Amino acid sequence: GDCSCPSNAKPEISIDRPISCNNQSDGILSVKNINGTPPFIFNWSNNITGATNKNLKGGFYFVTMTDRDNCQTFDTINLKNPDLLDAIINTINPPFPDVRLGSIIIENTFGGTPPYSYQLDNQVYGTIPRYDELIAGKYNLKVADKNGCKRLFNIQITDPEQFTISLINDTIINYGDSILLNWTSNQIATKWTWSKNVICADTSCMIPYAKPLLEYDLYHLTASNINGCIAEDWVKVSVKRYDEVYVPN
């Protein structure tokens, strides 16, 4: 027969358990009646019946409540899917090889459910988003949120290229001649020092010459870059002598 549905009769959906991690199916919704005449039948939009709806992904859900008088009312809810756990990570490489001066810095963490914690290479989780005194190598960084959601990041700390310098090849010059000692480096050299037997054409010795007085001489260069890394090289400059030969008549 006819029924008169109370104007304030409706189901009310509540979130018993939010979705824990991005794209998980572990949300739980439940519904209770607000007014109406029991008993009640609840039909969910995902074809579930009953007052509890489990193992849910993120999305919109609605429920229809039918009471004893066949009055039907509705409620809807948006069960949010947490954003993917993510982080902005920067690295500081050591200024020179084989030293523990590298760093991993988590600049920002977002998604998931705060607060966040961090773990480097299976150490204990902590809340400080920075790791220092690291040597060059590969590291596994895990970021975790309040719900235990985790994301793995593969981080590389890289040593700089070894600072090297290169003098001209060993050479032979005529007696009394001199030769410019050209040299190159794979990085900018900020300081350099020559052995005392080098002839410098300027105060900083950017134009160095070799003029051996004996059969040969060794010339040594030491240089350093902005990080204090030191490199050195040697060159041997030999002398070709022309002795006068007298032939008797």
Side-chain angles (χ1 to χ4, degrees):
D2 294 334
C3 69
S4 177
C5 298
S7 60
N8 60 349
K10 62 167 291 185
E12 183 179 85
I13 301 174
S14 60
I15 300 174
D16 290 355
R17 177 178 175 177
I19 296 173
S20 62
C21 304
N22 179 259
N23 289 335
Q24 292 297 303
S25 300
D26 57 1
I28 299 176
L29 300 176
S30 65
V31 61
K32 64 181 179 179
N33 64 291
I34 304 297
N35 296 318
T37 306
F40 301 96
I41 298 174
F42 300 103
N43 290 294
W44 296 84
S45 53
N46 59 331
N47 298 319
I48 297 297
T49 59
T52 304
N53 200 350
K54 299 180 179 180
N55 301 322
L56 300 177
K57 293 182 178 181
F60 284 92
Y61 295 87
F62 68 86
V63 67
T64 302
M65 181 180 78
T66 305
D67 71 1
R68 185 187 65 182
D69 298 324
N70 205 34
C71 293
Q72 291 187 336
T73 51
F74 309 90
D75 193 19
T76 185
I77 196 169
N78 178 21
L79 183 61
K80 293 184 178 180
N81 180 32
D83 292 334
L84 181 66
L85 188 61
D86 206 352
I88 297 174
I89 301 170
N90 289 326
T91 59
I92 298 176
N93 293 321
F96 35 89
D98 302 322
V99 293
R100 291 188 172 274
L101 293 176
S103 297
I104 295 174
I105 306 167
I106 302 98
E107 299 285 358
N108 190 20
T109 307
F110 45 91
T113 306
Y116 305 107
S117 58
Y118 312 95
Q119 180 193 59
L120 188 67
D121 282 354
N122 298 317
Q123 299 176 16
V124 176
Y125 275 93
T127 57
I128 299 175
R130 180 173 180 134
Y131 296 90
D132 295 308
E133 298 181 354
L134 302 177
I135 199 166
K138 295 180 179 179
Y139 294 88
N140 294 320
L141 174 68
K142 289 181 182 178
V143 178
D145 72 355
K146 177 182 177 181
N147 295 332
C149 309
K150 297 177 182 178
R151 181 147 184 205
L152 175 65
F153 296 87
N154 296 314
I155 311 295
Q156 178 75 48
I157 298 291
T158 305
D159 271 339
E161 183 181 12
Q162 186 82 32
F163 177 53
T164 60
I165 61 174
S166 180
L167 280 165
I168 62 173
N169 294 328
D170 292 349
T171 188
I172 301 174
I173 63 174
N174 293 327
Y175 178 76
D177 288 349
S178 61
I179 186 171
L180 178 63
L181 297 176
N182 287 316
W183 61 285
T184 58
S185 61
N186 65 336
Q187 299 169 18
I188 296 175
T190 55
K191 295 180 181 179
W192 53 89
T193 303
W194 289 95
S195 54
K196 293 182 178 181
N197 55 347
V198 169
I199 302 171
C200 296
D202 59 298
T203 56
S204 61
C205 210
M206 295 184 67
I207 308 174
Y209 286 91
K211 187 176 182 180
L213 301 176
L214 303 175
E215 182 181 352
Y216 69 88
D217 216 343
L218 296 175
Y219 299 87
H220 177 241
L221 172 63
T222 302
S224 60
N225 64 10
I226 192 171
N227 295 317
C229 300
I230 297 174
E232 61 180 355
D233 197 13
W234 296 81
V235 61
K236 179 180 180 180
V237 179
S238 301
V239 174
K240 182 188 295 183
R241 299 182 66 93
Y242 294 93
D243 295 325
E244 292 185 6
V245 178
Y246 295 93
V247 179
N249 293 329

